[in-house]
Amino acid sequence: MRSKLIITYILLTVVPISLLGYISYSQYTRSVEAQVGEYVPKILDQANENIDKQMEELTYAPELLYNSSEVISILRKNDYPTRSEFLNDRFIMNSYLSSTYFTEKNTLLGVFVWTTKQRLFSSTTVSYTGFDKEPDWLGQDTIILQDETDLRFKGKPPFFLIVKPILDVENRRNIGTIMTAVKLSFMEKVLLDIKGQDRAELWIMNKKGKVIYHTDPKQIGTVEDMTQFPLTNGSFRAYKNGERMLVSVSESERMDWITVHSIPFKYLTEQADVIRDYVIWIFVAFVLASIILSVYMALTVSRPIYKLSRLMRTIEKGDFQVDLNIDSRDEMGILARSFNSMVARIKELLQLNYHIEIRQKQAELYALQSQINPHFMYNTLETISMAVEEDEKETVVEMVTLLGRMLRFSLSNKDRIVAMNKEVEHINNYLSIQKYRFEQRLHFTIESDIELQQYYSPKFILQPIIENSIKYGLETRKMLSINIRINKIKGIRPNTEDIAISVKDSGTGIDDATLQKIHHLLRSDPIVKRDSGFGLINVHARIMMLFGPGYGLTVERALKEGTEVVIRIPIINDLLTVEKYERIEDESYRG
């Protein structure tokens, strides 16, 4: 009950508050995610528009060449008669490119013009290497990324090339190709307006996943897995190295580029996480206070009940000297007074029936012992009668002498625990009489590994077992051997020894049904379940009532090898112990 009260109190207080806090935090984080997921794509759309405008201006660069007829005429030339004339035209072309395309806010690294005759004119802000031979993509209208060309500038700034063909309008033919090297830094300036850039990753890629620009320069030129992008406009959740990310994407309408913004989710909710941590500490303090209060309340309610339960267990053990002292006037006080009244009444009933019960149990015990005697008397008298009829005087004298010893032993009820040598002598007399009766059909041996006169055993425990062996063993056998062996074995209690008396015969054994019945009776109550049809059950009952569980008989059989009955009793080797068990046999059923 105490545990139930504590658990119920916790469930009614801690659990609802926990659920409320969890739901509130979850709803807040979802709200933040939804707002950021809606806001960032709009910013990316605006950034794409700015990038598209600048790219549109850059793609119109070839148009500036048409403003100079001198430049067009140079591009139309097929051959130069002299080297000096080519150098003069190159100076004019390079000077025009430098003055036309490079301004203070220019984002170009260089401008390159290839003629159809594989002549290169260029103007750059820094020195460069590469372009030693005519590229394969001359005459195309395309964009070339840095890793797709061998062109490199001093300082290794990231860039890309805008490639446009130069058309001779008058002659309607291609007279060259202009390539503008654009710094990627212009994209970075456009994307600086997006909040959280220091924590987020920003990049621009084409529709094949190739990265054109990235806030981490090492990622430029790598290829993203486009299957990880379920949409190209909007926001979605993703996971990177086990960390949840909020990814926002926006596709450029003009350049077919995709701008991506990726930020760890923990940065979006860091303010909520701070509040959450404070709430958790407050919640833990509240839970501890609630548990202390619930334990106190539970103890207040359950302590009297626990005391009542403990006293009831004491009564179950037979001790009625208890008193439930509770002075309260509530239901527990009423229950305590009723309990004390009930215990007092039980004491009165026990005193009233005490002597009746003692007499009844003693009568049962003596009836149990008396069941052994008829077997002995009937078989002994039958053997003597047969010897008298055959007029065997010496045999009769010997048998009467043996019978006298046996009757003297069996009728002396004063001693219930006897020296073991007397019990063995009694069974030796009995077997000797039976041998006179069955002559050569019966053989017996008695072996002992101990000094029998030093130990004691309950009186009259062997004869019923020997009677069964003779009765059932000689029904189907012409000869019967009985071996009795007495020795010490390991005791039931730790560091003790017991005595085992084995009675083994060479009869046909016991059938399965009878053996199962005997085993069932041996495991049953020693008095209530006794069966007069089995003398050995009565012996077992007497031993078990005297010495307790674990002692008594075990019955086993081996196929075609007869039956073995083993009697286990504790070692009794002094008169004080004998007197103790004498008293137990007289008073074992008084409680």
Side-chain angles (χ1 to χ4, degrees):
M1 180 179 290
R2 183 184 306 167
S3 300
K4 290 180 180 178
L5 289 174
I6 295 173
I7 293 173
T8 301
Y9 188 82
I10 292 175
L11 290 176
L12 293 177
T13 55
V14 176
V15 174
I17 296 176
S18 302
L19 290 176
L20 180 62
Y22 175 76
I23 293 173
S24 300
Y25 176 76
S26 299
Q27 291 296 327
Y28 176 78
T29 53
R30 289 194 185 97
S31 175
V32 171
E33 181 181 5
Q35 292 178 5
V36 173
E38 182 180 355
Y39 172 74
V40 173
K42 293 180 180 179
I43 300 297
L44 295 180
D45 290 342
Q46 184 63 44
N48 278 337
E49 291 181 7
N50 295 336
I51 292 174
D52 287 347
K53 288 180 181 179
Q54 294 198 33
M55 290 298 296
E56 187 176 0
E57 293 176 1
L58 292 172
T59 54
Y60 285 133
E63 303 295 333
L64 300 177
L65 294 177
Y66 298 112
N67 294 336
S68 173
S69 58
E70 186 176 16
V71 169
I72 298 299
S73 64
I74 292 174
L75 295 176
R76 288 172 178 169
K77 290 182 179 181
N78 292 325
D79 296 313
Y80 285 94
T82 63
R83 173 72 175 171
S84 60
E85 187 177 350
F86 169 73
L87 293 176
N88 182 62
D89 284 351
R90 187 170 68 176
F91 176 77
I92 294 172
M93 178 65 76
N94 291 347
S95 299
Y96 180 79
L97 294 176
S98 178
S99 61
T100 303
Y101 288 97
F102 296 101
T103 61
E104 293 182 359
K105 297 182 179 180
N106 206 296
T107 60
L108 300 181
L109 286 170
V111 180
F112 303 87
V113 176
W114 282 87
T115 67
T116 54
K117 299 300 181 179
Q118 299 184 1
R119 287 189 286 271
L120 174 63
F121 302 100
S122 65
S123 178
T124 62
T125 58
V126 293
S127 59
Y128 69 92
T129 59
F131 270 8
D132 296 332
K133 60 180 181 178
E134 186 181 36
D136 296 334
W137 24 264
L138 292 182
Q140 300 179 18
D141 186 354
T142 184
I143 293 177
I144 303 300
L145 301 182
Q146 180 175 340
D147 63 326
E148 297 175 342
T149 176
D150 59 354
L151 177 64
R152 296 292 181 272
F153 292 93
K154 184 178 179 181
K156 299 181 180 180
F159 68 94
F160 63 92
L161 293 175
I162 299 177
V163 181
K164 290 287 185 179
I166 303 172
L167 300 177
D168 186 351
V169 179
E170 294 180 3
N171 298 322
R172 297 181 179 279
R173 67 186 181 88
N174 188 350
I175 58 176
T177 302
I178 182 171
M179 290 167 286
T180 53
V182 184
K183 299 177 184 178
L184 286 178
S185 58
F186 90 92
M187 294 184 180
E188 183 176 353
K189 294 177 181 178
V190 173
L191 298 176
L192 279 176
D193 294 333
I194 301 178
K195 293 182 179 180
Q197 186 178 2
D198 55 334
R199 296 172 177 175
E201 288 185 326
L202 284 167
W203 70 89
I204 299 175
M205 62 184 179
N206 59 24
K207 289 188 175 181
K208 295 182 179 180
K210 193 161 191 178
V211 177
I212 299 170
Y213 165 78
H214 201 289
T215 51
D216 181 5
K218 296 180 181 179
Q219 302 296 325
I220 297 175
T222 60
V223 179
E224 293 285 339
D225 183 6
M226 295 305 293
T227 60
Q228 303 298 319
F229 293 83
L231 45 85
T232 55
N233 283 287
S235 298
F236 59 90
R237 292 181 182 179
Y239 289 88
K240 182 177 181 182
N241 298 327
E243 185 176 23
R244 187 169 66 163
M245 313 289 289
L246 179 64
V247 180
S248 301
V249 293
S250 175
E251 183 177 3
S252 172
E253 296 180 358
R254 185 178 185 278
M255 299 301 299
D256 287 339
W257 287 353
I258 299 174
T259 304
V260 184
H261 176 274
S262 176
I263 185 171
F265 194 82
K266 62 182 180 181
Y267 294 124
L268 300 178
T269 60
E270 58 182 354
Q271 292 183 352
D273 292 342
V274 173
I275 297 175
R276 178 200 62 192
D277 294 340
Y278 281 115
V279 170
I280 288 175
W281 282 110
I282 296 173
F283 175 74
V284 169
F286 172 77
V287 169
L288 292 176
S290 298
I291 291 175
I292 293 172
L293 179 61
S294 65
V295 170
Y296 172 75
M297 295 299 296
L299 289 175
T300 302
V301 175
S302 64
R303 188 181 289 112
I305 299 176
Y306 175 76
K307 184 177 181 181
L308 174 61
S309 175
R310 179 169 54 82
L311 293 178
M312 291 182 70
R313 287 195 296 269
T314 302
I315 292 175
E316 287 179 356
K317 297 177 181 178
D319 183 5
F320 289 89
Q321 303 301 320
V322 297
D323 181 29
L324 184 58
N325 186 16
I326 298 177
D327 297 330
S328 63
R329 297 180 179 271
D330 56 9
E331 290 81 357
M332 285 306 305
I334 297 173
L335 180 61
R337 288 188 288 273
S338 300
F339 174 79
N340 291 332
S341 176
M342 179 192 68
V343 172
R345 181 58 179 166
I346 291 174
K347 287 180 182 178
E348 293 177 3
L349 293 174
L350 287 176
Q351 291 294 329
L352 182 63
N353 297 314
Y354 183 70
H355 296 290
I356 298 175
E357 184 179 358
I358 290 176
R359 294 189 184 97
Q360 181 181 358
K361 295 302 180 181
Q362 284 181 333
E364 290 178 351
L365 178 60
Y366 289 126
L368 179 63
Q369 291 176 320
S370 68
Q371 289 181 3
I372 300 176
N373 296 327
H375 295 283
F376 158 70
M377 293 298 298
Y378 176 78
N379 290 317
T380 302
L381 292 176
E382 182 182 16
T383 303
I384 294 175
S385 175
M386 291 175 60
V388 171
E389 290 177 359
E390 294 178 1
D391 196 26
E392 298 179 357
K393 296 180 181 180
E394 293 183 0
T395 301
V396 171
V397 172
E398 180 66 23
M399 292 179 62
V400 169
T401 302
L402 294 173
L403 177 59
R405 295 174 184 172
M406 294 177 63
L407 289 176
R408 189 180 304 110
F409 177 81
S410 61
L411 295 177
S412 59
N413 292 324
K414 181 179 179 181
D415 297 325
R416 298 185 182 90
I417 307 295
V418 298
M420 193 170 288
N421 62 322
K422 293 183 179 180
E423 178 70 14
V424 172
E425 180 184 0
H426 173 74
I427 203 62
N428 183 72
N429 294 335
Y430 171 78
L431 285 171
S432 298
I433 292 175
Q434 295 291 22
K435 188 169 178 59
Y436 277 114
R437 177 185 175 187
F438 296 106
E439 297 181 351
Q440 299 301 319
R441 294 184 62 194
L442 178 64
H443 299 277
F444 70 91
T445 57
I446 301 176
E447 302 174 357
S448 175
D449 295 339
I450 62 176
E451 297 293 334
L452 296 177
Q453 66 274 13
Q454 297 179 7
Y455 300 94
Y456 296 84
S457 74
K459 183 179 180 181
F460 213 67
I461 60 174
L462 284 174
Q463 184 174 333
I465 300 171
I466 302 299
E467 286 180 350
N468 283 342
S469 297
I470 295 175
K471 177 180 177 181
Y472 298 108
L474 290 176
E475 283 182 351
T476 56
R477 295 277 188 175
K478 292 182 179 181
M479 296 185 64
L480 178 68
S481 295
I482 298 176
N483 175 259
I484 302 173
R485 183 173 183 83
I486 305 171
N487 61 296
K488 291 182 180 180
I489 60 174
K490 184 178 180 181
I492 294 176
R493 300 180 181 86
N495 302 320
T496 62
E497 290 183 318
D498 293 333
I499 292 178
I501 305 174
S502 170
V503 179
K504 184 175 182 181
D505 64 55
S506 61
T508 56
I510 306 175
D511 60 84
D512 291 336
T514 304
L515 185 62
Q516 290 180 4
K517 184 176 182 181
I518 292 174
H519 285 169
H520 173 71
L521 291 171
L522 290 175
R523 292 191 298 268
S524 303
D525 185 89
I527 291 181
V528 177
K529 299 297 182 179
R530 71 179 186 272
D531 189 337
S532 60
F534 296 96
L536 57 86
I537 301 300
N538 298 324
V539 174
H540 173 74
R542 184 184 173 200
I543 293 175
M544 195 171 78
M545 285 191 298
L546 187 60
F547 302 118
Y551 295 101
L553 274 62
T554 58
V555 181
E556 299 296 338
R557 69 171 176 83
L559 186 63
K560 297 181 181 180
E561 292 183 2
T563 305
E564 181 178 12
V565 179
V566 178
I567 304 173
R568 175 192 283 263
I569 60 174
I571 289 179
I572 306 173
N573 55 8
D574 61 86
L575 293 177
L576 291 177
T577 308
V578 170
E579 293 177 0
K580 168 188 171 183
Y581 285 115
E582 289 275 1
R583 289 193 301 271
I584 290 175
E585 193 160 29
D586 286 337
E587 302 176 0
S588 58
Y589 290 99
R590 293 186 181 181

